Amino acid sequence: MSEFSRSSQGSSPVIGRSGVLIVYALYIARFFTGISLLAGVIVAYLLRRSSVGVERMHLNWLVRLFWYDVAFIIGSAALFLACFLTEPPGSSGPGQLLFLLPIGIFAIWNIVLLVSLVVGVRGILAGSGPLPERFRGLAE
């Protein structure tokens, strides 16, 4: 039994790396289908149990990105609702510009998320961490 676990651990980096790439692909597919992000975080949680090293850093970062995304979606929706309650659509006035605030925050977050996913894919392909050295504290 212990030999089986040793041999499976020996092949773990290949499976872990491809598993991490699958999770990144699911996260990137989030921009086209919203449900793939949920599938990606489930796969990340499952793969994180048996991963070590760089793969574990990437999976931890992907799980953290999921929760950041949930927070930004809820925050943007709450801000949009607050704007809607203070200045309902159909009314005229400068209050209509308030609606640009949650839309802008959500758009900027999506750009940041996409850039961090692309940087993470480059990192896993290079065998390094999910972020450049100067931002390494964010991923740990």
Side-chain angles (χ1 to χ4, degrees), residues 1 4 12 19 21-22 30 36 39-40 42 44-45 50 59 79 81 103 113:
M1 184 74 172
F4 176 72
S12 169
L21 286 172
I22 288 171
R30 167 235 187 257
S36 66
I42 290 170
Y45 271 119
S50 62
L59 291 171
L79 191 57
L81 180 66
I103 294 169
L113 181 64

Side-chain angles (χ1 to χ4, degrees), residues 57-133:
M57 283 176 36
H58 280 274
L59 291 171
N60 286 340
W61 176 244
L62 287 166
V63 168
R64 188 173 292 166
L65 275 179
F66 169 79
W67 290 112
Y68 288 158
D69 194 42
V70 168
F72 270 97
I73 289 171
I74 290 172
S76 294
L79 191 57
F80 191 78
L81 180 66
C83 290
F84 182 76
L85 292 176
T86 59
E87 191 75 32
S91 61
S92 60
Q96 291 296 317
L97 293 176
L98 285 176
F99 283 101
L100 294 178
L101 186 64
I103 294 169
I105 290 172
F106 188 69
I108 290 171
W109 166 246
N110 281 315
I111 292 169
V112 168
L113 181 64
L114 184 61
V115 168
S116 66
L117 290 173
V118 169
V119 168
V121 168
R122 288 180 56 201
I124 193 69
L125 291 176
S128 62
L131 294 173
E133 285 295 324

Side-chain angles (χ1 to χ4, degrees), residues 11-26 43-44 47 51 54-55 58-59 62 121 124-125:
S11 65
S12 169
V14 174
I15 294 171
R17 188 178 204 182
S18 63
V20 172
L21 286 172
I22 288 171
V23 175
Y24 272 115
L26 287 169
V43 172
L47 291 177
S51 65
V54 174
E55 286 87 12
H58 280 274
L59 291 171
L62 287 166
V121 168
I124 193 69
L125 291 176

